[in-house]
């Protein structure tokens, strides 16, 4: 399969590092805590799953940086470069909720890389699948350095060789993945419902036996 250096697919920007003096305009800030790892908002996403981006509880920072350098837009990808988990989030309505009316007042902090597509060679959803569930996870784990807080350097990241099948194949893989994720969540919700019904029935039997 054809592979392409990531630098040919995306422009990569490291997120904003706040200054100590606190000068500048107050803006919402996307941080690690906004990744829905614990699935607290899992049913709010059209494609449920771990590592979605929840914007309902954003913090704020004062920034003297140019907004567009550290901002997000539809179709870009957010990559978590620091920590023990490598996660990519495509910035689309299926993976980001609640979807904002504008991105102009939001920036991304330095824990992340912001990937802006250079061309239409790869879909953001397919790239995220490659990172989260596909073959790139192993390569990225090997790139990470540091024992306390492992991180992937931008220099190594842009040299990553990315498999790029035809767009029809990319779209099919994403469709299969998203269908499997939805079916998995439906199964979990059904199991939760059955458990509650069973608990209610058992409590009812216990109550009846004591009368």
């Amino acid at each position: 399969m054809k592979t392409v250096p990531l630098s040919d697919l995306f422009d990569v920007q490291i997120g904003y590092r706040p200054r100590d003096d606190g000068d500048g305009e107050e803006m919402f800030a996307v941080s690690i805590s906004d990744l829905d790892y614990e699935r607290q908002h899992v049913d709010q996403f059209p494609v449920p799953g771990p590592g979605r981006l929840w914007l309902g509880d954003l913090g704020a920072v004062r920034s003297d940086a140019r907004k567009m350098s550290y901002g997000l837009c539809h179709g870009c990808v957010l990559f978590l470069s620091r920590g023990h988990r490598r996660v990519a989030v495509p910035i689309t309505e299926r993976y980001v909720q609640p979807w904002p009316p504008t991105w102009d007042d939001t920036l991304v902090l330095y824990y992340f890389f912001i990937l802006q597509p250079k061309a239409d060679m790869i879909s953001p959803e397919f790239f995220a699948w490659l990172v989260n569930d596909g073959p790139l996870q192993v390569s990225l784990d090997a790139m990470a350095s540091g024992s306390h807080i492992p991180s992937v350097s931008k220099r190594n990241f842009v040299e990553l060789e990315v498999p790029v099948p035809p767009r029809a194949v990319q779209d099919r893989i994403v469709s299969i993945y998203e269908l499997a994720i939805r079916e998995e969540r439906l199964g979990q919700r059904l199991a939760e419902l059955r458990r509650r019904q069973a608990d209610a029935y058992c409590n009812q039997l216990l109550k009846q036996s004591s009368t």
Side-chain angles (χ1 to χ4, degrees), residues 135-157:
L136 291 187
Q137 185 69 226
V138 175
S139 300
L140 290 165
D141 285 344
M143 279 185 183
S145 60
S147 57
H148 180 55
I149 303 179
S151 63
V152 176
S153 71
K154 179 180 175 181
R155 188 170 106 179
N156 289 336
F157 185 66

Side-chain angles (χ1 to χ4, degrees), residues 5-15 66-79 88-92 99 103-104 106-108 112-124 127 154 157-158:
L6 186 140
S7 58
D8 289 350
L9 301 171
F10 299 99
D11 287 318
V12 179
Q13 169 70 47
I14 300 174
R66 292 185 298 112
K67 299 177 188 177
M68 295 307 295
S69 298
Y70 303 99
L72 294 172
C73 64
H74 186 277
C76 69
V77 179
L78 197 61
F79 173 74
V89 182
I91 305 304
T92 66
W99 188 257
W103 291 104
D104 291 345
T106 303
L107 55 74
V108 173
F112 297 95
F113 295 156
I114 307 161
L115 282 60
Q116 300 285 357
K118 286 185 174 181
D120 196 32
M121 292 178 61
I122 189 167
S123 77
F127 181 78
K154 179 180 175 181
F157 185 66
V158 298

Side-chain angles (χ1 to χ4, degrees), residues 117-205:
K118 286 185 174 181
D120 196 32
M121 292 178 61
I122 189 167
S123 77
E125 294 91 348
F126 177 70
F127 181 78
W129 175 83
L130 286 172
V131 171
N132 299 331
D133 296 276
L136 291 187
Q137 185 69 226
V138 175
S139 300
L140 290 165
D141 285 344
M143 279 185 183
S145 60
S147 57
H148 180 55
I149 303 179
S151 63
V152 176
S153 71
K154 179 180 175 181
R155 188 170 106 179
N156 289 336
F157 185 66
V158 298
E159 295 176 354
L160 183 69
E161 289 290 326
V162 180
V164 183
R167 281 300 293 262
V169 175
Q170 296 180 35
D171 293 344
R172 185 174 182 185
I173 289 172
V174 170
S175 295
I176 293 170
Y177 162 74
E178 292 184 352
L179 178 61
I181 285 289
R182 291 188 183 102
E183 289 182 344
E184 179 183 43
R185 181 55 187 157
L186 286 173
Q188 291 169 349
R189 294 179 67 179
L190 180 59
E192 291 166 2
L193 178 60
R194 287 174 174 167
R195 176 60 183 270
R196 287 198 294 269
Q197 289 175 332
D199 288 346
Y201 182 62
C202 291
N203 284 316
Q204 183 182 9
L205 288 177

